[in-house]
Amino acid sequence: MKYQTILLFGAPGCGKGTQGKILGQIPGFFLLSCGDVFRGLDSRSKLGQIFLEYSSKGELVPDEFTVQLWQNHVDALVQAKRFSPDRDILVLDGIPRNLNQAKIMSDRLCVTRLFHLDCPDRAKLVERLKRRALRENRLDDANEATIRHRIEVYEAETVSVLGFYDKDLVAVIDGTRSPLEVARAVLARL
Ligand code: ADP
């Protein structure tokens, strides 16, 4: 069975996490952030070590680990009856993050909307991520070179995911505006 899915898409710092949390509060919507799944791993486990190795450098974790971890996590949520694929709409933040992941996941996802939170002002992204580093104590936000590398990786690897989906599914939202204004624009396009 394919999951009815909404994808949140955009550069690091564009506000996917913030909007995901808002959408995830709506009954019938289930939020899954790939970064949060990774950060929830025991840092002493093999997978936890792999995550730290890549994320601390601002690199993507290899696709096989990522998609397998994601699938295992979803399966566990279904088992625990927290996510019901026949009733709930899955809101994905941070996955798929390159073309290969989009292809591997295509037999599991029925994407009904893709929100592209657009923030072309890279300086604004860097500033937001630096603020988040202080708030959330994130290793990958702690240094500016790593932040800049994440933005480069987004441009080199992630942007191509947009072309994988039907362009009618894509809603481009101005991510430079306030969280409330972005949320309004997102809800209006659901
Ligand atoms: P951000 O969007 O700010 O980069 P995330 O929490 O989404 O933050 O991701 C943090 C890190 O976790 C990424 O830099 C990457 O190392 C890893 N990661 C998250 N999602 C994926 C994914 N789909 N594929 C590979 N690596 C991922």
Side-chain angles (χ1 to χ4, degrees), residues 20 51 62-63 93-94 99 104 108 112 122 128 136 139 160:
F51 165 64
D63 297 338
D93 164 7
L99 209 49
I104 304 174
R108 306 313 316 259
T112 54
R122 297 303 181 223
R128 284 180 180 179
E136 297 180 13
L139 215 59
S160 59

Side-chain angles (χ1 to χ4, degrees), residues 7 24 84 113 121 144 146 178:
L7 298 181
S84 307
R113 180 55 94 209
D121 181 352
E144 188 160 333
T146 311
S178 72

